[in-house]
Amino acid sequence: MSLERLAAFERLANNERLTDNLTDTTAKALLRWAEQQLQAGVAEDAVLQAAHQANRDDLVDVSGVLAAANAALNKAHTAVVAHMMPAPDPAAQAGQAAANALNQSAATIASQMSKLGQSVLNSAGQAASDQSTITSKLNRIGATLGANARPRSHRIKRRRGWRG
């Protein structure tokens, strides 16, 4: 632990108002918690304020004291983060709006392409069905004509009067 952090812990440990409402066991646990927070790089003021909020008569067990200290520290940290949030960049907002519009357009286009693809498949199926119907009709006509039909050359020759 750096000298600065060690000095901050000494100030917290010597502050009797920090643990005056706690039992010896809960006070030691709170001081260990404060030391760990300081070693983790949390600001001394934030740790001091969280420890003050955990110093209550109604908290009699270690877990309650540590939970209150953590809750106070998290609340202070959230407030600092919310206060320090930079103003949104107009270019970033415009880019995000464009990305959102593109995502919506992509979804719409994908849906339309899916419908078009289904339509093409349905049309191809119908065409195949129509082709088989036409083929079967032509086969029936061919079978009927095959037995009774005369060659075309015979008809032409008969019209001209040629016998043969």
Side-chain angles (χ1 to χ4, degrees), residues 7-88:
F9 177 70
E10 288 297 322
R11 285 191 293 273
L12 289 176
N14 291 332
N15 187 347
E16 291 182 15
R17 292 185 334 195
L18 191 62
T19 58
D20 59 352
N21 292 325
L22 303 174
T23 64
D24 285 342
T25 305
T26 55
K28 287 179 184 177
L30 182 62
L31 288 175
R32 275 196 309 272
W33 174 86
E35 182 180 15
Q36 290 171 351
Q37 299 305 313
L38 290 171
Q39 285 177 349
V42 178
E44 179 183 0
D45 293 338
V47 173
L48 179 64
Q49 192 170 20
H52 272 298
Q53 290 185 13
N55 181 20
R56 301 188 326 226
D57 289 335
D58 61 332
L59 299 174
V60 292
D61 63 339
V62 172
S63 61
V65 170
L66 296 180
N70 280 322
L73 185 63
N74 289 337
K75 184 177 177 183
H77 178 69
T78 303
V80 168
V81 168
H83 178 69
M84 296 178 68
M85 290 292 287

Side-chain angles (χ1 to χ4, degrees), residues 130-147:
D130 290 348
Q131 183 180 5
S132 68
T133 303
I134 291 169
T135 303
S136 67
K137 286 183 179 181
L138 286 175
N139 288 339
R140 273 187 280 145
I141 292 171
T144 305
L145 290 176

